[in-house]
Amino acid sequence: GGRAQQRELPAVGNRRPVSTPLRAVRPNARPLASRAAFGFGTGMGLGAGLGALAWLADQLPYPWETLIPANAIGAWLAVGFLLGASARTVPTGALRGLIGLLTGVAAYYALISIFAVGFRLIGASHAATTWGAVALVAGPLFGAAGGAWRHWQGTGRAFAVSLLAASLIAEGVAFGKLRVGDAVSMFYLVEMAIGLLLPVLLLRPRERLAGYGATIVLAAAMAIAIEPITALVRSVADRF
């Protein structure tokens, strides 16, 4: 009996330890509804913060308003991109970008409705509708671009980054070309520099050539279109 027990011990000692699968010890993932509520709540919070900062910048005298560049087109598009990059899928990123920019427009004009007087107060609802329509286009577009940057590879990813980079460059070129030596011109120079750096900062080395190629083409087209389109939207928003 003792010898048999001794003969069995090596077999027991050589037996592979049983391990618990890693997925069995991981904490349970958050439910889908909880993730969605957190993601969209983040989008609404960031959008509301952007709208509030844009309103606050309007209250500051020149040149202090440039310290809070929340009224820049690039700032709004970057927020849409950032929200899209926080999503688990590209379609969800588009939705988050939409919610964020719509919330930003709503927060901005809500503050105007509370604090403004005169013609600006009278036209607030019409202007909010006009810029809300712009958010309906820009929010999903740049939210999807942010999601594509996070989840795609290769050319698609490079194009997604180039969309934001070109927007920053185009705004700086279009609105800063006639300004020299003042605070606003410095802001536009910084914005263009950020746009030029984005492909290096956000893309892998093998994606950068395609990223810069797309950035150059898009920036050239946007620099021509952004000023007349912005003027058109502003003229529509100011009618009441």
Side-chain angles (χ1 to χ4, degrees):
R3 289 180 181 178
Q5 188 176 9
Q6 288 177 357
R7 283 196 300 271
E8 290 173 3
L9 286 176
V12 172
N14 292 332
R15 191 178 299 167
R16 238 182 202 177
V18 178
S19 60
T20 305
L22 182 60
R23 63 178 177 272
V25 297
R26 283 178 180 168
N28 294 329
R30 288 186 298 171
L32 178 61
S34 174
R35 294 200 307 268
F38 176 80
F40 295 134
T42 301
M44 293 178 69
L46 191 58
L50 177 64
L53 286 175
W55 174 84
L56 178 60
D58 284 345
Q59 316 311 309
L60 300 177
Y62 175 85
W64 303 110
E65 59 186 3
T66 57
L67 297 176
I68 307 178
N71 279 309
I73 296 170
W76 287 73
L77 301 182
V79 166
F81 187 95
L82 178 63
L83 288 171
S86 71
R88 288 173 173 260
T89 65
V90 175
T92 307
L95 186 57
R96 287 191 185 180
L98 171 63
I99 290 173
L101 294 199
L102 280 178
T103 304
V105 172
Y108 178 80
Y109 283 101
L111 288 168
I112 287 178
S113 298
I114 294 170
F115 296 107
V117 294
F119 290 109
R120 198 165 192 203
L121 176 60
I122 296 171
S125 60
H126 177 75
T129 302
T130 303
W131 288 107
V134 174
L136 284 174
V137 178
L141 179 61
F142 281 84
W149 168 74
R150 177 179 176 183
H151 298 290
W152 289 1
Q153 303 291 331
T155 304
R157 190 168 187 262
F159 182 81
V161 170
S162 72
L163 191 63
L164 178 60
S167 301
L168 299 179
I169 295 169
E171 183 179 18
V173 170
F175 297 113
K177 61 181 182 292
L178 298 179
R179 309 186 71 106
V180 179
D182 63 355
V184 176
S185 68
M186 292 302 298
F187 164 75
Y188 285 129
L189 285 174
V190 171
E191 185 179 29
M192 286 189 289
I194 293 172
L196 289 169
L197 287 172
L198 280 183
V200 172
L201 297 175
L202 298 183
L203 294 175
R204 299 181 178 94
R206 65 178 182 274
E207 298 168 336
R208 289 172 186 165
L209 181 60
Y212 273 112
T215 297
I216 292 170
V217 173
L218 289 173
M222 289 180 180
I224 296 171
I226 191 171
E227 194 169 8
I229 290 176
T230 303
L232 176 62
V233 173
R234 284 175 176 164
S235 67
V236 173
D238 290 342
R239 293 175 188 165
F240 53 87

mmCIF file of all heavy atoms in Angstrom, residues 124-149:
data_model
loop_
_atom_site.group_PDB
_atom_site.id
_atom_site.type_symbol
_atom_site.label_atom_id
_atom_site.label_comp_id
_atom_site.label_asym_id
_atom_site.label_seq_id
_atom_site.Cartn_x
_atom_site.Cartn_y
_atom_site.Cartn_z
ATOM 1 N N ALA A 124 -32.275 84.446 -32.094
ATOM 2 C CA ALA A 124 -31.555 83.291 -31.556
ATOM 3 C C ALA A 124 -32.126 81.968 -32.039
ATOM 4 O O ALA A 124 -31.388 81.049 -32.403
ATOM 5 C CB ALA A 124 -31.562 83.341 -30.030
ATOM 6 N N SER A 125 -33.441 81.839 -32.059
ATOM 7 C CA SER A 125 -34.040 80.559 -32.444
ATOM 8 C C SER A 125 -33.760 80.227 -33.909
ATOM 9 O O SER A 125 -33.460 79.072 -34.258
ATOM 10 C CB SER A 125 -35.547 80.580 -32.172
ATOM 11 O OG SER A 125 -36.170 81.612 -32.924
ATOM 12 N N HIS A 126 -33.844 81.241 -34.778
ATOM 13 C CA HIS A 126 -33.567 81.009 -36.201
ATOM 14 C C HIS A 126 -32.097 80.653 -36.413
ATOM 15 O O HIS A 126 -31.763 79.742 -37.185
ATOM 16 C CB HIS A 126 -33.933 82.242 -37.023
ATOM 17 C CG HIS A 126 -33.620 82.106 -38.474
ATOM 18 N ND1 HIS A 126 -34.389 81.328 -39.321
ATOM 19 C CD2 HIS A 126 -32.616 82.623 -39.234
ATOM 20 C CE1 HIS A 126 -33.883 81.377 -40.542
ATOM 21 N NE2 HIS A 126 -32.800 82.168 -40.518
ATOM 22 N N ALA A 127 -31.201 81.379 -35.739
ATOM 23 C CA ALA A 127 -29.773 81.092 -35.868
ATOM 24 C C ALA A 127 -29.443 79.704 -35.339
ATOM 25 O O ALA A 127 -28.642 78.973 -35.937
ATOM 26 C CB ALA A 127 -28.963 82.148 -35.117
ATOM 27 N N ALA A 128 -30.085 79.321 -34.236
ATOM 28 C CA ALA A 128 -29.847 77.988 -33.681
ATOM 29 C C ALA A 128 -30.287 76.903 -34.665
ATOM 30 O O ALA A 128 -29.614 75.872 -34.816
ATOM 31 C CB ALA A 128 -30.601 77.833 -32.360
ATOM 32 N N THR A 129 -31.406 77.130 -35.351
ATOM 33 C CA THR A 129 -31.872 76.157 -36.340
ATOM 34 C C THR A 129 -30.884 76.045 -37.502
ATOM 35 O O THR A 129 -30.571 74.945 -37.970
ATOM 36 C CB THR A 129 -33.254 76.578 -36.883
ATOM 37 O OG1 THR A 129 -34.167 76.682 -35.791
ATOM 38 C CG2 THR A 129 -33.773 75.567 -37.885
ATOM 39 N N THR A 130 -30.360 77.180 -37.948
ATOM 40 C CA THR A 130 -29.418 77.172 -39.072
ATOM 41 C C THR A 130 -28.126 76.454 -38.713
ATOM 42 O O THR A 130 -27.664 75.569 -39.445
ATOM 43 C CB THR A 130 -29.106 78.619 -39.498
ATOM 44 O OG1 THR A 130 -30.319 79.285 -39.838
ATOM 45 C CG2 THR A 130 -28.170 78.631 -40.698
ATOM 46 N N TRP A 131 -27.538 76.824 -37.578
ATOM 47 C CA TRP A 131 -26.286 76.175 -37.188
ATOM 48 C C TRP A 131 -26.513 74.733 -36.745
ATOM 49 O O TRP A 131 -25.619 73.888 -36.867
ATOM 50 C CB TRP A 131 -25.594 76.983 -36.099
ATOM 51 C CG TRP A 131 -25.008 78.249 -36.621
ATOM 52 C CD1 TRP A 131 -25.481 79.518 -36.416
ATOM 53 C CD2 TRP A 131 -23.870 78.383 -37.478
ATOM 54 N NE1 TRP A 131 -24.701 80.430 -37.082
ATOM 55 C CE2 TRP A 131 -23.704 79.770 -37.750
ATOM 56 C CE3 TRP A 131 -22.980 77.481 -38.037
ATOM 57 C CZ2 TRP A 131 -22.680 80.258 -38.550
ATOM 58 C CZ3 TRP A 131 -21.958 77.969 -38.850
ATOM 59 C CH2 TRP A 131 -21.806 79.328 -39.093
ATOM 60 N N GLY A 132 -27.722 74.442 -36.261
ATOM 61 C CA GLY A 132 -28.054 73.047 -35.975
ATOM 62 C C GLY A 132 -28.057 72.209 -37.233
ATOM 63 O O GLY A 132 -27.628 71.042 -37.223
ATOM 64 N N ALA A 133 -28.524 72.789 -38.347
ATOM 65 C CA ALA A 133 -28.486 72.074 -39.619
ATOM 66 C C ALA A 133 -27.047 71.802 -40.059
ATOM 67 O O ALA A 133 -26.732 70.732 -40.607
ATOM 68 C CB ALA A 133 -29.226 72.879 -40.691
ATOM 69 N N VAL A 134 -26.156 72.764 -39.801
ATOM 70 C CA VAL A 134 -24.742 72.543 -40.103
ATOM 71 C C VAL A 134 -24.186 71.403 -39.241
ATOM 72 O O VAL A 134 -23.428 70.544 -39.719
ATOM 73 C CB VAL A 134 -23.936 73.840 -39.867
ATOM 74 C CG1 VAL A 134 -22.437 73.586 -40.043
ATOM 75 C CG2 VAL A 134 -24.414 74.933 -40.822
ATOM 76 N N ALA A 135 -24.581 71.377 -37.973
ATOM 77 C CA ALA A 135 -24.130 70.301 -37.072
ATOM 78 C C ALA A 135 -24.630 68.944 -37.532
ATOM 79 O O ALA A 135 -23.958 67.918 -37.316
ATOM 80 C CB ALA A 135 -24.602 70.586 -35.649
ATOM 81 N N LEU A 136 -25.795 68.907 -38.161
ATOM 82 C CA LEU A 136 -26.331 67.646 -38.677
ATOM 83 C C LEU A 136 -25.429 67.045 -39.748
ATOM 84 O O LEU A 136 -25.421 65.824 -39.950
ATOM 85 C CB LEU A 136 -27.731 67.868 -39.253
ATOM 86 C CG LEU A 136 -28.872 68.037 -38.258
ATOM 87 C CD1 LEU A 136 -30.160 68.406 -38.990
ATOM 88 C CD2 LEU A 136 -29.075 66.751 -37.452
ATOM 89 N N VAL A 137 -24.679 67.884 -40.434
ATOM 90 C CA VAL A 137 -23.754 67.402 -41.466
ATOM 91 C C VAL A 137 -22.357 67.186 -40.883
ATOM 92 O O VAL A 137 -21.756 66.121 -41.041
ATOM 93 C CB VAL A 137 -23.695 68.402 -42.635
ATOM 94 C CG1 VAL A 137 -22.681 67.928 -43.687
ATOM 95 C CG2 VAL A 137 -25.071 68.565 -43.262
ATOM 96 N N ALA A 138 -21.845 68.213 -40.203
ATOM 97 C CA ALA A 138 -20.464 68.157 -39.718
ATOM 98 C C ALA A 138 -20.278 67.148 -38.589
ATOM 99 O O ALA A 138 -19.240 66.474 -38.521
ATOM 100 C CB ALA A 138 -20.026 69.546 -39.256
ATOM 101 N N GLY A 139 -21.272 67.036 -37.703
ATOM 102 C CA GLY A 139 -21.129 66.123 -36.568
ATOM 103 C C GLY A 139 -20.921 64.673 -36.980
ATOM 104 O O GLY A 139 -19.917 64.052 -36.598
ATOM 105 N N PRO A 140 -21.818 64.092 -37.769
ATOM 106 C CA PRO A 140 -21.608 62.712 -38.196
ATOM 107 C C PRO A 140 -20.359 62.520 -39.059
ATOM 108 O O PRO A 140 -19.674 61.502 -38.952
ATOM 109 C CB PRO A 140 -22.875 62.398 -39.004
ATOM 110 C CG PRO A 140 -23.894 63.346 -38.508
ATOM 111 C CD PRO A 140 -23.138 64.602 -38.166
ATOM 112 N N LEU A 141 -20.065 63.513 -39.909
ATOM 113 C CA LEU A 141 -18.905 63.378 -40.799
ATOM 114 C C LEU A 141 -17.609 63.291 -40.007
ATOM 115 O O LEU A 141 -16.800 62.373 -40.213
ATOM 116 C CB LEU A 141 -18.861 64.572 -41.759
ATOM 117 C CG LEU A 141 -17.686 64.602 -42.746
ATOM 118 C CD1 LEU A 141 -17.705 63.387 -43.659
ATOM 119 C CD2 LEU A 141 -17.718 65.892 -43.572
ATOM 120 N N PHE A 142 -17.410 64.219 -39.086
ATOM 121 C CA PHE A 142 -16.153 64.217 -38.339
ATOM 122 C C PHE A 142 -16.172 63.196 -37.204
ATOM 123 O O PHE A 142 -15.117 62.704 -36.804
ATOM 124 C CB PHE A 142 -15.848 65.627 -37.841
ATOM 125 C CG PHE A 142 -15.285 66.497 -38.930
ATOM 126 C CD1 PHE A 142 -16.130 67.152 -39.803
ATOM 127 C CD2 PHE A 142 -13.930 66.624 -39.102
ATOM 128 C CE1 PHE A 142 -15.630 67.926 -40.837
ATOM 129 C CE2 PHE A 142 -13.410 67.403 -40.119
ATOM 130 C CZ PHE A 142 -14.265 68.053 -41.005
ATOM 131 N N GLY A 143 -17.366 62.864 -36.691
ATOM 132 C CA GLY A 143 -17.440 61.763 -35.744
ATOM 133 C C GLY A 143 -17.054 60.446 -36.393
ATOM 134 O O GLY A 143 -16.310 59.636 -35.815
ATOM 135 N N ALA A 144 -17.532 60.214 -37.619
ATOM 136 C CA ALA A 144 -17.146 59.004 -38.349
ATOM 137 C C ALA A 144 -15.656 59.002 -38.653
ATOM 138 O O ALA A 144 -14.996 57.948 -38.596
ATOM 139 C CB ALA A 144 -17.952 58.901 -39.643
ATOM 140 N N ALA A 145 -15.101 60.178 -38.967
ATOM 141 C CA ALA A 145 -13.660 60.268 -39.219
ATOM 142 C C ALA A 145 -12.862 59.889 -37.973
ATOM 143 O O ALA A 145 -11.861 59.164 -38.049
ATOM 144 C CB ALA A 145 -13.292 61.677 -39.676
ATOM 145 N N GLY A 146 -13.312 60.350 -36.816
ATOM 146 C CA GLY A 146 -12.637 59.966 -35.574
ATOM 147 C C GLY A 146 -12.730 58.473 -35.312
ATOM 148 O O GLY A 146 -11.751 57.832 -34.907
ATOM 149 N N GLY A 147 -13.902 57.895 -35.555
ATOM 150 C CA GLY A 147 -14.051 56.455 -35.394
ATOM 151 C C GLY A 147 -13.185 55.681 -36.370
ATOM 152 O O GLY A 147 -12.591 54.655 -36.026
ATOM 153 N N ALA A 148 -13.092 56.168 -37.625
ATOM 154 C CA ALA A 148 -12.257 55.502 -38.622
ATOM 155 C C ALA A 148 -10.786 55.572 -38.234
ATOM 156 O O ALA A 148 -10.030 54.614 -38.426
ATOM 157 C CB ALA A 148 -12.476 56.155 -39.983
ATOM 158 N N TRP A 149 -10.372 56.715 -37.684
ATOM 159 C CA TRP A 149 -8.978 56.804 -37.222
ATOM 160 C C TRP A 149 -8.689 55.761 -36.147
ATOM 161 O O TRP A 149 -7.627 55.141 -36.138
ATOM 162 C CB TRP A 149 -8.695 58.197 -36.668
ATOM 163 C CG TRP A 149 -7.397 58.261 -35.921
ATOM 164 C CD1 TRP A 149 -6.142 58.248 -36.456
ATOM 165 C CD2 TRP A 149 -7.220 58.295 -34.503
ATOM 166 N NE1 TRP A 149 -5.195 58.281 -35.460
ATOM 167 C CE2 TRP A 149 -5.834 58.306 -34.251
ATOM 168 C CE3 TRP A 149 -8.113 58.326 -33.424
ATOM 169 C CZ2 TRP A 149 -5.318 58.348 -32.964
ATOM 170 C CZ3 TRP A 149 -7.601 58.370 -32.147
ATOM 171 C CH2 TRP A 149 -6.212 58.380 -31.923
#
